[in-house]
Amino acid sequence: MKIETVSSAACSLFASKEIDDKALFSLLFSPDELKVVFDASFAKSTGKGTDRLNGFQYAVRSAAELKIASTKCLNAQYRFSPFMETLKTKGRDKFPRLIGVPTIRDRVVLHQLNKFLAAVYPDRVPKNVASTYVRSIAADLNLKMSGDVWVCGTDVKTFYDSIQQDRLSRVLRKRIKFWPALRLVEHALVTPTVPKNTQRSRHAEYRLGKGVPQGLAISNILAAIYMDDVDKPMLAMPVSYYRYVDDVLIFGTEDAVQKALATFSSRLKYRGLSLHSISSGKTQIAPLAHSFGYLGYTFKWPVITVRTATVERFLQSIAAKFSDYVHNKARRLEKFEYLSDERLASIFLLELNERLTGAISGQKRYGWIAYFNQITDLSLLHRLDKTIAGFFSRLSDFNRAAPGDLRKLSRAYFEMKFNPQGGYVRNYDKIVTPAEKVQFLLARGRIGPQEALTDDQINERYEKYLSHVLFAMHSDEGQIYS
């Protein structure tokens, strides 16, 4: 069996019951398989954990360290390094979301652990694209008589942080019998998430007795497994029930929705979870004729649009690019002598256009327009295009008018949805060779014309820039507003 096919083949064998969870775990965590996963998915990673090593730096030691990691995983002796704390803002007047960033070694292990859990719990693998939920909701609503439909929107309080670790472990033990696999999950749950530069002697202060750390490869599926005994009974009730992480939508007749909400709240309470009260404004029940929101979308049935606050935040992020261009232009010209006024203007437009159209990387679609591709309110996109074009009135470099090659959200909506390979949307998967990466970096002003770089240096600089671009697009996507 070729090494690169081990993971998929092992999962297929497990699904057909030809191997048990011990054999599956052993195949997924073999030294060769861990090394293949690192080379394929993490060798170019620019992210750093508490050990301060990115993928490029870890590569030189990867074979030896992953061999040791394999032995420890199989012997139930593996220990994760503390996760690096990063705070993700959710907007004004809201506490930020605490995300844990693992070391490269731990990311490889968690990646394989996620594959293991997905094979054992195929029915609990989360659908990661929120727009698939919105598409299903729209199709579901089209089948109902609007006069008989009531809608309840609510969300679970501090969802990940409130999950009971001991209960989750008991749930996992019902299906997972191989002790090292259980031990690996349980240790990930108790590993602390610590601020940068925290002394080792203080790590224990950040260890929590409950909750699932956010940001790990296994976070979503563990939460889904925990909610299995809630979701299945709710799906059997005479209502339409949708749950995307902590956001819940229920619709049906008024009486059925009221009973479903009470049942849902009771089942959560039994598992240490709770909903926001109706008085808080975060739980609402109203006829379909009233507008309601879900996952950053607003339903004014039959029109599907984007929540006003979400639109405003997107415009603010675009306006911030204009401000950054104006205020940092002189500094950039001084720092990078090979750049000129014309080159900076060209680079600004390239990056702005990409922010508007979104991009494709790793066969995944990124960006605001990719996330909100289920809207039917296309007039919103034309209004946004007009507003963004108006931002150029503050830029003398563009003669205070939008350039003719400024890309439009209204066209990007159709291109991303129906013709993603047509060229209007940047596809980073087509940039493969070092020469192609150099050409791209030159166009973006990230390499000087006289700068000589090795292939490794080219790859590292390209991956760092790509991570920066995709992170900005990801921040524009709807989940940050939910």
mmCIF file of all heavy atoms in Angstrom, residues 138 141-142 288 291-292 297-306 374-380:
data_model
loop_
_atom_site.group_PDB
_atom_site.id
_atom_site.type_symbol
_atom_site.label_atom_id
_atom_site.label_comp_id
_atom_site.label_asym_id
_atom_site.label_seq_id
_atom_site.Cartn_x
_atom_site.Cartn_y
_atom_site.Cartn_z
ATOM 1 N N ALA A 138 -33.698 27.653 2.759
ATOM 2 C CA ALA A 138 -34.507 28.282 1.709
ATOM 3 C C ALA A 138 -35.380 27.247 1.005
ATOM 4 O O ALA A 138 -36.571 27.487 0.745
ATOM 5 C CB ALA A 138 -33.596 28.985 0.712
ATOM 6 N N LEU A 141 -38.210 26.231 3.408
ATOM 7 C CA LEU A 141 -39.245 27.254 3.543
ATOM 8 C C LEU A 141 -40.134 27.320 2.304
ATOM 9 O O LEU A 141 -41.327 27.616 2.396
ATOM 10 C CB LEU A 141 -38.605 28.617 3.797
ATOM 11 C CG LEU A 141 -38.042 28.846 5.208
ATOM 12 C CD1 LEU A 141 -37.265 30.155 5.267
ATOM 13 C CD2 LEU A 141 -39.162 28.855 6.246
ATOM 14 N N ASN A 142 -39.555 27.045 1.152
ATOM 15 C CA ASN A 142 -40.336 27.077 -0.087
ATOM 16 C C ASN A 142 -41.437 26.025 -0.108
ATOM 17 O O ASN A 142 -42.411 26.151 -0.855
ATOM 18 C CB ASN A 142 -39.418 26.870 -1.299
ATOM 19 C CG ASN A 142 -38.799 28.168 -1.773
ATOM 20 O OD1 ASN A 142 -39.432 29.216 -1.750
ATOM 21 N ND2 ASN A 142 -37.541 28.098 -2.193
ATOM 22 N N LEU A 288 -43.206 33.917 10.210
ATOM 23 C CA LEU A 288 -42.274 34.022 9.087
ATOM 24 C C LEU A 288 -42.355 35.386 8.414
ATOM 25 O O LEU A 288 -41.379 35.841 7.807
ATOM 26 C CB LEU A 288 -42.562 32.902 8.074
ATOM 27 C CG LEU A 288 -41.698 32.855 6.812
ATOM 28 C CD1 LEU A 288 -40.219 32.732 7.158
ATOM 29 C CD2 LEU A 288 -42.131 31.700 5.913
ATOM 30 N N SER A 291 -38.907 39.481 9.701
ATOM 31 C CA SER A 291 -37.558 39.103 9.270
ATOM 32 C C SER A 291 -36.825 38.402 10.411
ATOM 33 O O SER A 291 -37.093 38.651 11.591
ATOM 34 C CB SER A 291 -36.770 40.340 8.824
ATOM 35 O OG SER A 291 -36.547 41.211 9.908
ATOM 36 N N PHE A 292 -35.901 37.521 10.060
ATOM 37 C CA PHE A 292 -35.081 36.852 11.069
ATOM 38 C C PHE A 292 -33.683 36.647 10.511
ATOM 39 O O PHE A 292 -33.474 36.633 9.296
ATOM 40 C CB PHE A 292 -35.701 35.525 11.499
ATOM 41 C CG PHE A 292 -35.753 34.474 10.427
ATOM 42 C CD1 PHE A 292 -34.723 33.542 10.271
ATOM 43 C CD2 PHE A 292 -36.843 34.398 9.566
ATOM 44 C CE1 PHE A 292 -34.782 32.574 9.281
ATOM 45 C CE2 PHE A 292 -36.906 33.434 8.574
ATOM 46 C CZ PHE A 292 -35.876 32.519 8.424
ATOM 47 N N TYR A 297 -26.855 36.027 7.674
ATOM 48 C CA TYR A 297 -27.876 36.301 6.672
ATOM 49 C C TYR A 297 -29.109 36.890 7.350
ATOM 50 O O TYR A 297 -29.357 36.644 8.534
ATOM 51 C CB TYR A 297 -28.306 35.016 5.960
ATOM 52 C CG TYR A 297 -27.350 34.475 4.936
ATOM 53 C CD1 TYR A 297 -26.221 33.748 5.309
ATOM 54 C CD2 TYR A 297 -27.576 34.656 3.574
ATOM 55 C CE1 TYR A 297 -25.351 33.215 4.366
ATOM 56 C CE2 TYR A 297 -26.720 34.127 2.611
ATOM 57 C CZ TYR A 297 -25.612 33.409 3.016
ATOM 58 O OH TYR A 297 -24.745 32.890 2.076
ATOM 59 N N THR A 298 -29.910 37.623 6.600
ATOM 60 C CA THR A 298 -31.222 38.071 7.052
ATOM 61 C C THR A 298 -32.263 37.568 6.067
ATOM 62 O O THR A 298 -32.122 37.755 4.854
ATOM 63 C CB THR A 298 -31.300 39.605 7.152
ATOM 64 O OG1 THR A 298 -30.439 40.042 8.214
ATOM 65 C CG2 THR A 298 -32.721 40.059 7.464
ATOM 66 N N PHE A 299 -33.290 36.910 6.602
ATOM 67 C CA PHE A 299 -34.395 36.412 5.785
ATOM 68 C C PHE A 299 -35.570 37.362 5.916
ATOM 69 O O PHE A 299 -36.142 37.510 6.998
ATOM 70 C CB PHE A 299 -34.820 35.019 6.251
ATOM 71 C CG PHE A 299 -33.793 33.937 6.004
ATOM 72 C CD1 PHE A 299 -32.650 33.854 6.787
ATOM 73 C CD2 PHE A 299 -33.976 33.008 4.996
ATOM 74 C CE1 PHE A 299 -31.710 32.859 6.574
ATOM 75 C CE2 PHE A 299 -33.044 32.010 4.769
ATOM 76 C CZ PHE A 299 -31.906 31.936 5.556
ATOM 77 N N LYS A 300 -35.900 38.036 4.816
ATOM 78 C CA LYS A 300 -37.122 38.836 4.725
ATOM 79 C C LYS A 300 -37.978 38.107 3.694
ATOM 80 O O LYS A 300 -38.140 38.564 2.572
ATOM 81 C CB LYS A 300 -36.807 40.265 4.293
ATOM 82 C CG LYS A 300 -35.893 41.012 5.249
ATOM 83 C CD LYS A 300 -35.567 42.410 4.733
ATOM 84 C CE LYS A 300 -34.647 43.144 5.689
ATOM 85 N NZ LYS A 300 -34.277 44.489 5.198
ATOM 86 N N TRP A 301 -38.456 36.964 4.087
ATOM 87 C CA TRP A 301 -38.986 35.976 3.156
ATOM 88 C C TRP A 301 -39.989 36.571 2.173
ATOM 89 O O TRP A 301 -40.869 37.309 2.567
ATOM 90 C CB TRP A 301 -39.604 34.820 3.940
ATOM 91 C CG TRP A 301 -39.822 33.615 3.082
ATOM 92 C CD1 TRP A 301 -41.016 33.105 2.686
ATOM 93 C CD2 TRP A 301 -38.808 32.799 2.491
ATOM 94 N NE1 TRP A 301 -40.810 32.027 1.881
ATOM 95 C CE2 TRP A 301 -39.461 31.815 1.739
ATOM 96 C CE3 TRP A 301 -37.410 32.824 2.513
ATOM 97 C CZ2 TRP A 301 -38.787 30.842 1.016
ATOM 98 C CZ3 TRP A 301 -36.735 31.867 1.800
ATOM 99 C CH2 TRP A 301 -37.408 30.888 1.059
ATOM 100 N N PRO A 302 -39.779 36.307 0.849
ATOM 101 C CA PRO A 302 -38.855 35.322 0.256
ATOM 102 C C PRO A 302 -37.474 35.872 -0.101
ATOM 103 O O PRO A 302 -36.711 35.199 -0.794
ATOM 104 C CB PRO A 302 -39.610 34.902 -1.002
ATOM 105 C CG PRO A 302 -40.293 36.151 -1.440
ATOM 106 C CD PRO A 302 -40.720 36.849 -0.173
ATOM 107 N N VAL A 303 -37.141 37.086 0.323
ATOM 108 C CA VAL A 303 -35.834 37.672 0.014
ATOM 109 C C VAL A 303 -34.812 37.243 1.056
ATOM 110 O O VAL A 303 -35.078 37.265 2.256
ATOM 111 C CB VAL A 303 -35.922 39.212 -0.041
ATOM 112 C CG1 VAL A 303 -34.541 39.814 -0.268
ATOM 113 C CG2 VAL A 303 -36.895 39.653 -1.122
ATOM 114 N N ILE A 304 -33.625 36.854 0.578
ATOM 115 C CA ILE A 304 -32.505 36.517 1.469
ATOM 116 C C ILE A 304 -31.415 37.549 1.225
ATOM 117 O O ILE A 304 -30.942 37.716 0.105
ATOM 118 C CB ILE A 304 -31.970 35.105 1.189
ATOM 119 C CG1 ILE A 304 -33.094 34.072 1.294
ATOM 120 C CG2 ILE A 304 -30.839 34.773 2.163
ATOM 121 C CD1 ILE A 304 -32.653 32.666 0.907
ATOM 122 N N THR A 305 -31.023 38.245 2.278
ATOM 123 C CA THR A 305 -30.008 39.295 2.145
ATOM 124 C C THR A 305 -28.969 39.133 3.253
ATOM 125 O O THR A 305 -28.887 38.070 3.887
ATOM 126 C CB THR A 305 -30.684 40.687 2.181
ATOM 127 O OG1 THR A 305 -29.702 41.692 1.896
ATOM 128 C CG2 THR A 305 -31.351 40.970 3.502
ATOM 129 N N VAL A 306 -28.173 40.151 3.476
ATOM 130 C CA VAL A 306 -27.107 40.107 4.479
ATOM 131 C C VAL A 306 -27.468 41.054 5.616
ATOM 132 O O VAL A 306 -27.994 42.145 5.382
ATOM 133 C CB VAL A 306 -25.746 40.523 3.871
ATOM 134 C CG1 VAL A 306 -24.633 40.393 4.903
ATOM 135 C CG2 VAL A 306 -25.434 39.677 2.644
ATOM 136 N N GLN A 374 -25.580 32.751 -1.112
ATOM 137 C CA GLN A 374 -26.968 32.289 -1.138
ATOM 138 C C GLN A 374 -27.967 33.444 -1.089
ATOM 139 O O GLN A 374 -29.174 33.211 -1.022
ATOM 140 C CB GLN A 374 -27.223 31.331 0.034
ATOM 141 C CG GLN A 374 -26.469 30.023 -0.063
ATOM 142 C CD GLN A 374 -26.770 29.269 -1.339
ATOM 143 O OE1 GLN A 374 -27.922 29.030 -1.661
ATOM 144 N NE2 GLN A 374 -25.729 28.894 -2.072
ATOM 145 N N ILE A 375 -27.497 34.669 -1.126
ATOM 146 C CA ILE A 375 -28.439 35.793 -1.084
ATOM 147 C C ILE A 375 -29.214 35.874 -2.397
ATOM 148 O O ILE A 375 -28.739 35.455 -3.448
ATOM 149 C CB ILE A 375 -27.736 37.143 -0.804
ATOM 150 C CG1 ILE A 375 -26.826 37.550 -1.965
ATOM 151 C CG2 ILE A 375 -26.967 37.096 0.502
ATOM 152 C CD1 ILE A 375 -26.304 38.963 -1.851
ATOM 153 N N THR A 376 -30.434 36.422 -2.300
ATOM 154 C CA THR A 376 -31.228 36.695 -3.500
ATOM 155 C C THR A 376 -31.386 38.198 -3.722
ATOM 156 O O THR A 376 -31.899 38.622 -4.757
ATOM 157 C CB THR A 376 -32.621 36.055 -3.375
ATOM 158 O OG1 THR A 376 -33.294 36.606 -2.225
ATOM 159 C CG2 THR A 376 -32.517 34.544 -3.216
ATOM 160 N N ASP A 377 -30.914 38.979 -2.757
ATOM 161 C CA ASP A 377 -31.008 40.442 -2.825
ATOM 162 C C ASP A 377 -29.807 40.995 -3.589
ATOM 163 O O ASP A 377 -28.857 41.535 -3.000
ATOM 164 C CB ASP A 377 -31.066 41.009 -1.401
ATOM 165 C CG ASP A 377 -31.152 42.521 -1.364
ATOM 166 O OD1 ASP A 377 -31.473 43.124 -2.417
ATOM 167 O OD2 ASP A 377 -30.898 43.105 -0.291
ATOM 168 N N LEU A 378 -29.837 40.872 -4.902
ATOM 169 C CA LEU A 378 -28.684 41.300 -5.711
ATOM 170 C C LEU A 378 -28.564 42.818 -5.773
ATOM 171 O O LEU A 378 -27.480 43.340 -6.087
ATOM 172 C CB LEU A 378 -28.804 40.715 -7.119
ATOM 173 C CG LEU A 378 -28.889 39.179 -7.187
ATOM 174 C CD1 LEU A 378 -28.821 38.713 -8.633
ATOM 175 C CD2 LEU A 378 -27.792 38.526 -6.348
ATOM 176 N N SER A 379 -29.629 43.539 -5.454
ATOM 177 C CA SER A 379 -29.539 45.001 -5.425
ATOM 178 C C SER A 379 -28.548 45.455 -4.368
ATOM 179 O O SER A 379 -27.916 46.508 -4.512
ATOM 180 C CB SER A 379 -30.916 45.619 -5.168
ATOM 181 O OG SER A 379 -31.405 45.250 -3.882
ATOM 182 N N LEU A 380 -28.390 44.654 -3.294
ATOM 183 C CA LEU A 380 -27.416 44.985 -2.252
ATOM 184 C C LEU A 380 -26.014 45.059 -2.846
ATOM 185 O O LEU A 380 -25.239 45.970 -2.522
ATOM 186 C CB LEU A 380 -27.463 43.929 -1.144
ATOM 187 C CG LEU A 380 -26.319 43.977 -0.120
ATOM 188 C CD1 LEU A 380 -26.386 45.259 0.702
ATOM 189 C CD2 LEU A 380 -26.352 42.756 0.789
#
